[in-house]
Amino acid sequence: MQTEIASQVILANLKSTSDGPEGPSAVSMNQIRMWLVPQKAEHDHDYDINCNYFEEMLRQAMCNLMAKGYVTSSVHDGVEDGDAQMFSLTQEGARYVEELAVGIEEP
């Protein structure tokens, strides 16, 4: 699975939401899912998205990010699906995203 890529996408999007004028913000699992899971086109009924693959990748990526301390959750019992649980970037996560950005910019 491409959990490292998924983790980087999640961190980058969390960083962009936390850089707003109102300060750090939290997002729901549904919002994070929208960042990662491809959406079917309105008239593309033949396209089959393997939702189980993306759900498992998302679950593993979020568990890894929380275990490393890059992301925090409003519910501290683990990754639960639902709008009540909100996720936000930690200071350590923000530093990691900045380090990744510096590494990409250097030739």
PDB file of all heavy atoms in Angstrom, residues 27-65:
ATOM      1  N   VAL A  27     -10.241  18.838  11.052  1.00  0.00           N
ATOM      2  CA  VAL A  27     -11.075  18.323   9.963  1.00  0.00           C
ATOM      3  C   VAL A  27     -11.591  16.941  10.337  1.00  0.00           C
ATOM      4  O   VAL A  27     -10.979  16.222  11.119  1.00  0.00           O
ATOM      5  CB  VAL A  27     -10.315  18.269   8.626  1.00  0.00           C
ATOM      6  CG1 VAL A  27      -9.899  19.649   8.173  1.00  0.00           C
ATOM      7  CG2 VAL A  27      -9.111  17.366   8.705  1.00  0.00           C
ATOM      8  N   SER A  28     -12.703  16.572   9.741  1.00  0.00           N
ATOM      9  CA  SER A  28     -13.306  15.270  10.011  1.00  0.00           C
ATOM     10  C   SER A  28     -12.670  14.195   9.127  1.00  0.00           C
ATOM     11  O   SER A  28     -11.992  14.493   8.138  1.00  0.00           O
ATOM     12  CB  SER A  28     -14.810  15.321   9.739  1.00  0.00           C
ATOM     13  OG  SER A  28     -15.042  15.458   8.346  1.00  0.00           O
ATOM     14  N   MET A  29     -12.915  12.957   9.474  1.00  0.00           N
ATOM     15  CA  MET A  29     -12.431  11.835   8.678  1.00  0.00           C
ATOM     16  C   MET A  29     -13.056  11.882   7.277  1.00  0.00           C
ATOM     17  O   MET A  29     -12.393  11.534   6.300  1.00  0.00           O
ATOM     18  CB  MET A  29     -12.765  10.507   9.361  1.00  0.00           C
ATOM     19  CG  MET A  29     -12.241   9.303   8.618  1.00  0.00           C
ATOM     20  SD  MET A  29     -10.445   9.279   8.452  1.00  0.00           S
ATOM     21  CE  MET A  29     -10.010   8.485   9.969  1.00  0.00           C
ATOM     22  N   ASN A  30     -14.280  12.343   7.181  1.00  0.00           N
ATOM     23  CA  ASN A  30     -14.916  12.454   5.867  1.00  0.00           C
ATOM     24  C   ASN A  30     -14.175  13.445   4.973  1.00  0.00           C
ATOM     25  O   ASN A  30     -14.042  13.219   3.771  1.00  0.00           O
ATOM     26  CB  ASN A  30     -16.386  12.832   6.001  1.00  0.00           C
ATOM     27  CG  ASN A  30     -17.219  11.683   6.517  1.00  0.00           C
ATOM     28  OD1 ASN A  30     -16.891  10.515   6.300  1.00  0.00           O
ATOM     29  ND2 ASN A  30     -18.289  12.004   7.226  1.00  0.00           N
ATOM     30  N   GLN A  31     -13.709  14.541   5.534  1.00  0.00           N
ATOM     31  CA  GLN A  31     -12.945  15.511   4.752  1.00  0.00           C
ATOM     32  C   GLN A  31     -11.621  14.904   4.300  1.00  0.00           C
ATOM     33  O   GLN A  31     -11.217  15.057   3.159  1.00  0.00           O
ATOM     34  CB  GLN A  31     -12.685  16.784   5.561  1.00  0.00           C
ATOM     35  CG  GLN A  31     -11.860  17.819   4.822  1.00  0.00           C
ATOM     36  CD  GLN A  31     -12.543  18.318   3.561  1.00  0.00           C
ATOM     37  OE1 GLN A  31     -13.726  18.620   3.574  1.00  0.00           O
ATOM     38  NE2 GLN A  31     -11.800  18.403   2.473  1.00  0.00           N
ATOM     39  N   ILE A  32     -10.944  14.204   5.192  1.00  0.00           N
ATOM     40  CA  ILE A  32      -9.679  13.551   4.845  1.00  0.00           C
ATOM     41  C   ILE A  32      -9.917  12.515   3.753  1.00  0.00           C
ATOM     42  O   ILE A  32      -9.131  12.392   2.815  1.00  0.00           O
ATOM     43  CB  ILE A  32      -9.032  12.923   6.100  1.00  0.00           C
ATOM     44  CG1 ILE A  32      -8.641  14.029   7.081  1.00  0.00           C
ATOM     45  CG2 ILE A  32      -7.823  12.079   5.719  1.00  0.00           C
ATOM     46  CD1 ILE A  32      -8.208  13.533   8.442  1.00  0.00           C
ATOM     47  N   ARG A  33     -11.016  11.800   3.843  1.00  0.00           N
ATOM     48  CA  ARG A  33     -11.370  10.803   2.834  1.00  0.00           C
ATOM     49  C   ARG A  33     -11.515  11.474   1.458  1.00  0.00           C
ATOM     50  O   ARG A  33     -11.112  10.902   0.441  1.00  0.00           O
ATOM     51  CB  ARG A  33     -12.663  10.115   3.250  1.00  0.00           C
ATOM     52  CG  ARG A  33     -13.028   8.913   2.427  1.00  0.00           C
ATOM     53  CD  ARG A  33     -14.242   8.184   2.991  1.00  0.00           C
ATOM     54  NE  ARG A  33     -13.891   7.449   4.194  1.00  0.00           N
ATOM     55  CZ  ARG A  33     -14.330   7.733   5.422  1.00  0.00           C
ATOM     56  NH1 ARG A  33     -15.171   8.730   5.617  1.00  0.00           N
ATOM     57  NH2 ARG A  33     -13.952   7.021   6.461  1.00  0.00           N
ATOM     58  N   MET A  34     -12.077  12.663   1.425  1.00  0.00           N
ATOM     59  CA  MET A  34     -12.252  13.377   0.154  1.00  0.00           C
ATOM     60  C   MET A  34     -10.906  13.729  -0.479  1.00  0.00           C
ATOM     61  O   MET A  34     -10.796  13.847  -1.696  1.00  0.00           O
ATOM     62  CB  MET A  34     -13.077  14.662   0.357  1.00  0.00           C
ATOM     63  CG  MET A  34     -14.510  14.408   0.760  1.00  0.00           C
ATOM     64  SD  MET A  34     -15.474  13.573  -0.512  1.00  0.00           S
ATOM     65  CE  MET A  34     -15.527  14.831  -1.753  1.00  0.00           C
ATOM     66  N   TRP A  35      -9.874  13.908   0.341  1.00  0.00           N
ATOM     67  CA  TRP A  35      -8.543  14.218  -0.176  1.00  0.00           C
ATOM     68  C   TRP A  35      -7.912  13.013  -0.860  1.00  0.00           C
ATOM     69  O   TRP A  35      -7.062  13.164  -1.724  1.00  0.00           O
ATOM     70  CB  TRP A  35      -7.618  14.678   0.935  1.00  0.00           C
ATOM     71  CG  TRP A  35      -8.004  15.954   1.608  1.00  0.00           C
ATOM     72  CD1 TRP A  35      -8.769  16.955   1.092  1.00  0.00           C
ATOM     73  CD2 TRP A  35      -7.643  16.376   2.920  1.00  0.00           C
ATOM     74  NE1 TRP A  35      -8.909  17.969   2.009  1.00  0.00           N
ATOM     75  CE2 TRP A  35      -8.221  17.642   3.139  1.00  0.00           C
ATOM     76  CE3 TRP A  35      -6.886  15.800   3.933  1.00  0.00           C
ATOM     77  CZ2 TRP A  35      -8.068  18.343   4.323  1.00  0.00           C
ATOM     78  CZ3 TRP A  35      -6.730  16.493   5.120  1.00  0.00           C
ATOM     79  CH2 TRP A  35      -7.322  17.753   5.309  1.00  0.00           C
ATOM     80  N   LEU A  36      -8.286  11.801  -0.456  1.00  0.00           N
ATOM     81  CA  LEU A  36      -7.580  10.599  -0.903  1.00  0.00           C
ATOM     82  C   LEU A  36      -8.349   9.688  -1.851  1.00  0.00           C
ATOM     83  O   LEU A  36      -7.760   9.090  -2.739  1.00  0.00           O
ATOM     84  CB  LEU A  36      -7.153   9.760   0.307  1.00  0.00           C
ATOM     85  CG  LEU A  36      -6.115  10.373   1.212  1.00  0.00           C
ATOM     86  CD1 LEU A  36      -5.841   9.455   2.382  1.00  0.00           C
ATOM     87  CD2 LEU A  36      -4.836  10.638   0.455  1.00  0.00           C
ATOM     88  N   VAL A  37      -9.626   9.532  -1.634  1.00  0.00           N
ATOM     89  CA  VAL A  37     -10.392   8.545  -2.397  1.00  0.00           C
ATOM     90  C   VAL A  37     -10.874   9.172  -3.705  1.00  0.00           C
ATOM     91  O   VAL A  37     -11.550  10.196  -3.681  1.00  0.00           O
ATOM     92  CB  VAL A  37     -11.595   8.028  -1.574  1.00  0.00           C
ATOM     93  CG1 VAL A  37     -12.394   7.009  -2.368  1.00  0.00           C
ATOM     94  CG2 VAL A  37     -11.120   7.430  -0.261  1.00  0.00           C
ATOM     95  N   PRO A  38     -10.515   8.556  -4.833  1.00  0.00           N
ATOM     96  CA  PRO A  38     -10.980   9.084  -6.124  1.00  0.00           C
ATOM     97  C   PRO A  38     -12.509   9.055  -6.199  1.00  0.00           C
ATOM     98  O   PRO A  38     -13.142   8.149  -5.661  1.00  0.00           O
ATOM     99  CB  PRO A  38     -10.382   8.125  -7.155  1.00  0.00           C
ATOM    100  CG  PRO A  38      -9.380   7.309  -6.432  1.00  0.00           C
ATOM    101  CD  PRO A  38      -9.709   7.359  -4.987  1.00  0.00           C
ATOM    102  N   GLN A  39     -13.051  10.043  -6.856  1.00  0.00           N
ATOM    103  CA  GLN A  39     -14.494  10.133  -7.006  1.00  0.00           C
ATOM    104  C   GLN A  39     -14.900   9.712  -8.414  1.00  0.00           C
ATOM    105  O   GLN A  39     -14.206  10.018  -9.378  1.00  0.00           O
ATOM    106  CB  GLN A  39     -14.964  11.566  -6.740  1.00  0.00           C
ATOM    107  CG  GLN A  39     -14.574  12.082  -5.380  1.00  0.00           C
ATOM    108  CD  GLN A  39     -15.209  11.296  -4.263  1.00  0.00           C
ATOM    109  OE1 GLN A  39     -16.405  11.101  -4.252  1.00  0.00           O
ATOM    110  NE2 GLN A  39     -14.394  10.831  -3.332  1.00  0.00           N
ATOM    111  N   LYS A  40     -16.023   9.032  -8.502  1.00  0.00           N
ATOM    112  CA  LYS A  40     -16.545   8.648  -9.809  1.00  0.00           C
ATOM    113  C   LYS A  40     -17.086   9.889 -10.516  1.00  0.00           C
ATOM    114  O   LYS A  40     -17.656  10.778  -9.885  1.00  0.00           O
ATOM    115  CB  LYS A  40     -17.697   7.658  -9.671  1.00  0.00           C
ATOM    116  CG  LYS A  40     -17.276   6.270  -9.332  1.00  0.00           C
ATOM    117  CD  LYS A  40     -18.482   5.359  -9.369  1.00  0.00           C
ATOM    118  CE  LYS A  40     -18.092   3.946  -9.030  1.00  0.00           C
ATOM    119  NZ  LYS A  40     -19.226   3.038  -9.142  1.00  0.00           N
ATOM    120  N   ALA A  41     -16.912   9.892 -11.825  1.00  0.00           N
ATOM    121  CA  ALA A  41     -17.529  10.946 -12.621  1.00  0.00           C
ATOM    122  C   ALA A  41     -19.035  10.720 -12.608  1.00  0.00           C
ATOM    123  O   ALA A  41     -19.515   9.594 -12.415  1.00  0.00           O
ATOM    124  CB  ALA A  41     -16.996  10.916 -14.040  1.00  0.00           C
ATOM    125  N   GLU A  42     -19.786  11.763 -12.834  1.00  0.00           N
ATOM    126  CA  GLU A  42     -21.236  11.683 -12.729  1.00  0.00           C
ATOM    127  C   GLU A  42     -21.841  10.627 -13.661  1.00  0.00           C
ATOM    128  O   GLU A  42     -22.764   9.919 -13.295  1.00  0.00           O
ATOM    129  CB  GLU A  42     -21.839  13.051 -13.044  1.00  0.00           C
ATOM    130  CG  GLU A  42     -23.322  13.110 -12.842  1.00  0.00           C
ATOM    131  CD  GLU A  42     -23.861  14.504 -13.045  1.00  0.00           C
ATOM    132  OE1 GLU A  42     -23.086  15.472 -12.973  1.00  0.00           O
ATOM    133  OE2 GLU A  42     -25.063  14.615 -13.303  1.00  0.00           O
ATOM    134  N   HIS A  43     -21.298  10.494 -14.865  1.00  0.00           N
ATOM    135  CA  HIS A  43     -21.873   9.576 -15.850  1.00  0.00           C
ATOM    136  C   HIS A  43     -21.000   8.356 -16.105  1.00  0.00           C
ATOM    137  O   HIS A  43     -21.209   7.649 -17.067  1.00  0.00           O
ATOM    138  CB  HIS A  43     -22.110  10.308 -17.177  1.00  0.00           C
ATOM    139  CG  HIS A  43     -23.036  11.468 -17.024  1.00  0.00           C
ATOM    140  ND1 HIS A  43     -24.382  11.325 -16.768  1.00  0.00           N
ATOM    141  CD2 HIS A  43     -22.803  12.798 -17.040  1.00  0.00           C
ATOM    142  CE1 HIS A  43     -24.948  12.515 -16.656  1.00  0.00           C
ATOM    143  NE2 HIS A  43     -24.005  13.432 -16.817  1.00  0.00           N
ATOM    144  N   ASP A  44     -20.044   8.086 -15.240  1.00  0.00           N
ATOM    145  CA  ASP A  44     -19.131   6.961 -15.431  1.00  0.00           C
ATOM    146  C   ASP A  44     -19.546   5.791 -14.537  1.00  0.00           C
ATOM    147  O   ASP A  44     -18.982   5.564 -13.483  1.00  0.00           O
ATOM    148  CB  ASP A  44     -17.690   7.385 -15.120  1.00  0.00           C
ATOM    149  CG  ASP A  44     -16.676   6.395 -15.649  1.00  0.00           C
ATOM    150  OD1 ASP A  44     -17.087   5.391 -16.272  1.00  0.00           O
ATOM    151  OD2 ASP A  44     -15.476   6.632 -15.449  1.00  0.00           O
ATOM    152  N   HIS A  45     -20.547   5.052 -14.992  1.00  0.00           N
ATOM    153  CA  HIS A  45     -21.087   3.952 -14.196  1.00  0.00           C
ATOM    154  C   HIS A  45     -20.234   2.689 -14.290  1.00  0.00           C
ATOM    155  O   HIS A  45     -20.372   1.796 -13.464  1.00  0.00           O
ATOM    156  CB  HIS A  45     -22.515   3.634 -14.629  1.00  0.00           C
ATOM    157  CG  HIS A  45     -23.421   4.816 -14.515  1.00  0.00           C
ATOM    158  ND1 HIS A  45     -23.817   5.335 -13.303  1.00  0.00           N
ATOM    159  CD2 HIS A  45     -23.979   5.609 -15.459  1.00  0.00           C
ATOM    160  CE1 HIS A  45     -24.591   6.379 -13.500  1.00  0.00           C
ATOM    161  NE2 HIS A  45     -24.708   6.572 -14.802  1.00  0.00           N
ATOM    162  N   ASP A  46     -19.356   2.593 -15.282  1.00  0.00           N
ATOM    163  CA  ASP A  46     -18.534   1.403 -15.465  1.00  0.00           C
ATOM    164  C   ASP A  46     -17.249   1.439 -14.647  1.00  0.00           C
ATOM    165  O   ASP A  46     -16.592   0.416 -14.499  1.00  0.00           O
ATOM    166  CB  ASP A  46     -18.158   1.224 -16.946  1.00  0.00           C
ATOM    167  CG  ASP A  46     -19.390   0.989 -17.806  1.00  0.00           C
ATOM    168  OD1 ASP A  46     -20.378   0.425 -17.289  1.00  0.00           O
ATOM    169  OD2 ASP A  46     -19.367   1.365 -18.987  1.00  0.00           O
ATOM    170  N   TYR A  47     -16.891   2.584 -14.118  1.00  0.00           N
ATOM    171  CA  TYR A  47     -15.645   2.724 -13.371  1.00  0.00           C
ATOM    172  C   TYR A  47     -15.827   2.148 -11.969  1.00  0.00           C
ATOM    173  O   TYR A  47     -16.752   2.508 -11.251  1.00  0.00           O
ATOM    174  CB  TYR A  47     -15.250   4.198 -13.297  1.00  0.00           C
ATOM    175  CG  TYR A  47     -13.925   4.445 -12.626  1.00  0.00           C
ATOM    176  CD1 TYR A  47     -12.750   3.971 -13.178  1.00  0.00           C
ATOM    177  CD2 TYR A  47     -13.848   5.156 -11.444  1.00  0.00           C
ATOM    178  CE1 TYR A  47     -11.529   4.194 -12.569  1.00  0.00           C
ATOM    179  CE2 TYR A  47     -12.634   5.393 -10.827  1.00  0.00           C
ATOM    180  CZ  TYR A  47     -11.484   4.901 -11.401  1.00  0.00           C
ATOM    181  OH  TYR A  47     -10.281   5.123 -10.785  1.00  0.00           O
ATOM    182  N   ASP A  48     -14.956   1.238 -11.580  1.00  0.00           N
ATOM    183  CA  ASP A  48     -15.062   0.584 -10.286  1.00  0.00           C
ATOM    184  C   ASP A  48     -13.903   1.030  -9.397  1.00  0.00           C
ATOM    185  O   ASP A  48     -12.755   0.726  -9.679  1.00  0.00           O
ATOM    186  CB  ASP A  48     -15.044  -0.937 -10.458  1.00  0.00           C
ATOM    187  CG  ASP A  48     -15.242  -1.661  -9.144  1.00  0.00           C
ATOM    188  OD1 ASP A  48     -15.898  -1.105  -8.245  1.00  0.00           O
ATOM    189  OD2 ASP A  48     -14.719  -2.775  -9.028  1.00  0.00           O
ATOM    190  N   ILE A  49     -14.214   1.756  -8.344  1.00  0.00           N
ATOM    191  CA  ILE A  49     -13.214   2.196  -7.382  1.00  0.00           C
ATOM    192  C   ILE A  49     -13.170   1.159  -6.270  1.00  0.00           C
ATOM    193  O   ILE A  49     -14.192   0.805  -5.698  1.00  0.00           O
ATOM    194  CB  ILE A  49     -13.569   3.579  -6.796  1.00  0.00           C
ATOM    195  CG1 ILE A  49     -13.564   4.622  -7.901  1.00  0.00           C
ATOM    196  CG2 ILE A  49     -12.625   3.963  -5.678  1.00  0.00           C
ATOM    197  CD1 ILE A  49     -14.091   5.971  -7.468  1.00  0.00           C
ATOM    198  N   ASN A  50     -11.980   0.668  -5.973  1.00  0.00           N
ATOM    199  CA  ASN A  50     -11.827  -0.310  -4.907  1.00  0.00           C
ATOM    200  C   ASN A  50     -11.819   0.438  -3.575  1.00  0.00           C
ATOM    201  O   ASN A  50     -10.774   0.789  -3.037  1.00  0.00           O
ATOM    202  CB  ASN A  50     -10.537  -1.107  -5.095  1.00  0.00           C
ATOM    203  CG  ASN A  50     -10.388  -2.216  -4.095  1.00  0.00           C
ATOM    204  OD1 ASN A  50     -11.128  -2.296  -3.125  1.00  0.00           O
ATOM    205  ND2 ASN A  50      -9.420  -3.084  -4.335  1.00  0.00           N
ATOM    206  N   CYS A  51     -13.003   0.664  -3.045  1.00  0.00           N
ATOM    207  CA  CYS A  51     -13.148   1.459  -1.815  1.00  0.00           C
ATOM    208  C   CYS A  51     -12.454   0.809  -0.630  1.00  0.00           C
ATOM    209  O   CYS A  51     -11.922   1.511   0.235  1.00  0.00           O
ATOM    210  CB  CYS A  51     -14.618   1.690  -1.516  1.00  0.00           C
ATOM    211  SG  CYS A  51     -15.409   2.787  -2.709  1.00  0.00           S
ATOM    212  N   ASN A  52     -12.451  -0.512  -0.566  1.00  0.00           N
ATOM    213  CA  ASN A  52     -11.803  -1.196   0.556  1.00  0.00           C
ATOM    214  C   ASN A  52     -10.310  -0.892   0.598  1.00  0.00           C
ATOM    215  O   ASN A  52      -9.733  -0.726   1.669  1.00  0.00           O
ATOM    216  CB  ASN A  52     -12.026  -2.701   0.485  1.00  0.00           C
ATOM    217  CG  ASN A  52     -13.476  -3.074   0.742  1.00  0.00           C
ATOM    218  OD1 ASN A  52     -14.190  -2.349   1.429  1.00  0.00           O
ATOM    219  ND2 ASN A  52     -13.901  -4.181   0.183  1.00  0.00           N
ATOM    220  N   TYR A  53      -9.678  -0.828  -0.568  1.00  0.00           N
ATOM    221  CA  TYR A  53      -8.247  -0.501  -0.635  1.00  0.00           C
ATOM    222  C   TYR A  53      -8.006   0.887  -0.041  1.00  0.00           C
ATOM    223  O   TYR A  53      -7.124   1.076   0.800  1.00  0.00           O
ATOM    224  CB  TYR A  53      -7.750  -0.551  -2.081  1.00  0.00           C
ATOM    225  CG  TYR A  53      -6.370   0.025  -2.261  1.00  0.00           C
ATOM    226  CD1 TYR A  53      -5.246  -0.737  -1.948  1.00  0.00           C
ATOM    227  CD2 TYR A  53      -6.184   1.326  -2.710  1.00  0.00           C
ATOM    228  CE1 TYR A  53      -3.971  -0.216  -2.090  1.00  0.00           C
ATOM    229  CE2 TYR A  53      -4.920   1.855  -2.852  1.00  0.00           C
ATOM    230  CZ  TYR A  53      -3.814   1.086  -2.546  1.00  0.00           C
ATOM    231  OH  TYR A  53      -2.564   1.618  -2.689  1.00  0.00           O
ATOM    232  N   PHE A  54      -8.776   1.856  -0.477  1.00  0.00           N
ATOM    233  CA  PHE A  54      -8.574   3.227  -0.016  1.00  0.00           C
ATOM    234  C   PHE A  54      -8.926   3.393   1.458  1.00  0.00           C
ATOM    235  O   PHE A  54      -8.263   4.139   2.176  1.00  0.00           O
ATOM    236  CB  PHE A  54      -9.358   4.205  -0.891  1.00  0.00           C
ATOM    237  CG  PHE A  54      -8.766   4.365  -2.253  1.00  0.00           C
ATOM    238  CD1 PHE A  54      -9.311   3.702  -3.336  1.00  0.00           C
ATOM    239  CD2 PHE A  54      -7.636   5.138  -2.455  1.00  0.00           C
ATOM    240  CE1 PHE A  54      -8.758   3.821  -4.602  1.00  0.00           C
ATOM    241  CE2 PHE A  54      -7.065   5.258  -3.701  1.00  0.00           C
ATOM    242  CZ  PHE A  54      -7.626   4.595  -4.781  1.00  0.00           C
ATOM    243  N   GLU A  55      -9.951   2.702   1.932  1.00  0.00           N
ATOM    244  CA  GLU A  55     -10.309   2.766   3.345  1.00  0.00           C
ATOM    245  C   GLU A  55      -9.189   2.196   4.218  1.00  0.00           C
ATOM    246  O   GLU A  55      -8.848   2.765   5.254  1.00  0.00           O
ATOM    247  CB  GLU A  55     -11.618   2.021   3.609  1.00  0.00           C
ATOM    248  CG  GLU A  55     -12.838   2.744   3.096  1.00  0.00           C
ATOM    249  CD  GLU A  55     -13.082   4.078   3.770  1.00  0.00           C
ATOM    250  OE1 GLU A  55     -12.854   4.205   4.999  1.00  0.00           O
ATOM    251  OE2 GLU A  55     -13.503   5.018   3.070  1.00  0.00           O
ATOM    252  N   GLU A  56      -8.626   1.079   3.804  1.00  0.00           N
ATOM    253  CA  GLU A  56      -7.540   0.469   4.564  1.00  0.00           C
ATOM    254  C   GLU A  56      -6.285   1.352   4.522  1.00  0.00           C
ATOM    255  O   GLU A  56      -5.599   1.525   5.532  1.00  0.00           O
ATOM    256  CB  GLU A  56      -7.229  -0.935   4.046  1.00  0.00           C
ATOM    257  CG  GLU A  56      -6.153  -1.658   4.813  1.00  0.00           C
ATOM    258  CD  GLU A  56      -6.481  -1.901   6.275  1.00  0.00           C
ATOM    259  OE1 GLU A  56      -7.672  -1.875   6.673  1.00  0.00           O
ATOM    260  OE2 GLU A  56      -5.528  -2.108   7.060  1.00  0.00           O
ATOM    261  N   MET A  57      -5.985   1.907   3.366  1.00  0.00           N
ATOM    262  CA  MET A  57      -4.840   2.796   3.241  1.00  0.00           C
ATOM    263  C   MET A  57      -5.026   4.026   4.140  1.00  0.00           C
ATOM    264  O   MET A  57      -4.098   4.442   4.840  1.00  0.00           O
ATOM    265  CB  MET A  57      -4.644   3.238   1.789  1.00  0.00           C
ATOM    266  CG  MET A  57      -3.460   4.163   1.598  1.00  0.00           C
ATOM    267  SD  MET A  57      -3.165   4.621  -0.114  1.00  0.00           S
ATOM    268  CE  MET A  57      -4.686   5.428  -0.554  1.00  0.00           C
ATOM    269  N   LEU A  58      -6.213   4.585   4.140  1.00  0.00           N
ATOM    270  CA  LEU A  58      -6.514   5.746   4.976  1.00  0.00           C
ATOM    271  C   LEU A  58      -6.390   5.388   6.456  1.00  0.00           C
ATOM    272  O   LEU A  58      -5.779   6.130   7.234  1.00  0.00           O
ATOM    273  CB  LEU A  58      -7.923   6.257   4.663  1.00  0.00           C
ATOM    274  CG  LEU A  58      -8.438   7.402   5.511  1.00  0.00           C
ATOM    275  CD1 LEU A  58      -7.557   8.627   5.364  1.00  0.00           C
ATOM    276  CD2 LEU A  58      -9.866   7.723   5.123  1.00  0.00           C
ATOM    277  N   ARG A  59      -6.926   4.250   6.859  1.00  0.00           N
ATOM    278  CA  ARG A  59      -6.859   3.828   8.249  1.00  0.00           C
ATOM    279  C   ARG A  59      -5.412   3.645   8.693  1.00  0.00           C
ATOM    280  O   ARG A  59      -4.999   4.137   9.745  1.00  0.00           O
ATOM    281  CB  ARG A  59      -7.639   2.518   8.447  1.00  0.00           C
ATOM    282  CG  ARG A  59      -7.777   2.120   9.905  1.00  0.00           C
ATOM    283  CD  ARG A  59      -8.310   0.719  10.067  1.00  0.00           C
ATOM    284  NE  ARG A  59      -7.373  -0.299   9.607  1.00  0.00           N
ATOM    285  CZ  ARG A  59      -6.260  -0.662  10.259  1.00  0.00           C
ATOM    286  NH1 ARG A  59      -5.937  -0.074  11.385  1.00  0.00           N
ATOM    287  NH2 ARG A  59      -5.464  -1.606   9.789  1.00  0.00           N
ATOM    288  N   GLN A  60      -4.610   2.973   7.867  1.00  0.00           N
ATOM    289  CA  GLN A  60      -3.210   2.751   8.219  1.00  0.00           C
ATOM    290  C   GLN A  60      -2.423   4.064   8.266  1.00  0.00           C
ATOM    291  O   GLN A  60      -1.609   4.272   9.158  1.00  0.00           O
ATOM    292  CB  GLN A  60      -2.556   1.777   7.233  1.00  0.00           C
ATOM    293  CG  GLN A  60      -2.975   0.356   7.447  1.00  0.00           C
ATOM    294  CD  GLN A  60      -2.227  -0.611   6.551  1.00  0.00           C
ATOM    295  OE1 GLN A  60      -1.302  -0.230   5.837  1.00  0.00           O
ATOM    296  NE2 GLN A  60      -2.623  -1.856   6.580  1.00  0.00           N
ATOM    297  N   ALA A  61      -2.669   4.935   7.305  1.00  0.00           N
ATOM    298  CA  ALA A  61      -1.965   6.222   7.272  1.00  0.00           C
ATOM    299  C   ALA A  61      -2.294   7.036   8.517  1.00  0.00           C
ATOM    300  O   ALA A  61      -1.401   7.602   9.161  1.00  0.00           O
ATOM    301  CB  ALA A  61      -2.324   6.992   6.006  1.00  0.00           C
ATOM    302  N   MET A  62      -3.570   7.098   8.888  1.00  0.00           N
ATOM    303  CA  MET A  62      -3.957   7.876  10.065  1.00  0.00           C
ATOM    304  C   MET A  62      -3.383   7.269  11.349  1.00  0.00           C
ATOM    305  O   MET A  62      -2.916   7.996  12.228  1.00  0.00           O
ATOM    306  CB  MET A  62      -5.486   7.985  10.157  1.00  0.00           C
ATOM    307  CG  MET A  62      -6.090   8.853   9.076  1.00  0.00           C
ATOM    308  SD  MET A  62      -5.425  10.539   9.040  1.00  0.00           S
ATOM    309  CE  MET A  62      -6.028  11.166  10.593  1.00  0.00           C
ATOM    310  N   CYS A  63      -3.399   5.946  11.452  1.00  0.00           N
ATOM    311  CA  CYS A  63      -2.812   5.290  12.630  1.00  0.00           C
ATOM    312  C   CYS A  63      -1.324   5.606  12.731  1.00  0.00           C
ATOM    313  O   CYS A  63      -0.825   5.917  13.825  1.00  0.00           O
ATOM    314  CB  CYS A  63      -3.031   3.783  12.565  1.00  0.00           C
ATOM    315  SG  CYS A  63      -4.726   3.279  12.918  1.00  0.00           S
ATOM    316  N   ASN A  64      -0.616   5.549  11.604  1.00  0.00           N
ATOM    317  CA  ASN A  64       0.815   5.862  11.592  1.00  0.00           C
ATOM    318  C   ASN A  64       1.079   7.315  11.974  1.00  0.00           C
ATOM    319  O   ASN A  64       1.990   7.608  12.744  1.00  0.00           O
ATOM    320  CB  ASN A  64       1.431   5.560  10.226  1.00  0.00           C
ATOM    321  CG  ASN A  64       1.500   4.085   9.930  1.00  0.00           C
ATOM    322  OD1 ASN A  64       1.443   3.248  10.828  1.00  0.00           O
ATOM    323  ND2 ASN A  64       1.598   3.743   8.654  1.00  0.00           N
ATOM    324  N   LEU A  65       0.295   8.227  11.419  1.00  0.00           N
ATOM    325  CA  LEU A  65       0.487   9.652  11.710  1.00  0.00           C
ATOM    326  C   LEU A  65       0.212   9.956  13.181  1.00  0.00           C
ATOM    327  O   LEU A  65       0.916  10.756  13.798  1.00  0.00           O
ATOM    328  CB  LEU A  65      -0.404  10.503  10.808  1.00  0.00           C
ATOM    329  CG  LEU A  65      -0.015  10.523   9.337  1.00  0.00           C
ATOM    330  CD1 LEU A  65      -1.081  11.230   8.514  1.00  0.00           C
ATOM    331  CD2 LEU A  65       1.344  11.160   9.137  1.00  0.00           C
TER     332      LEU A  65
END
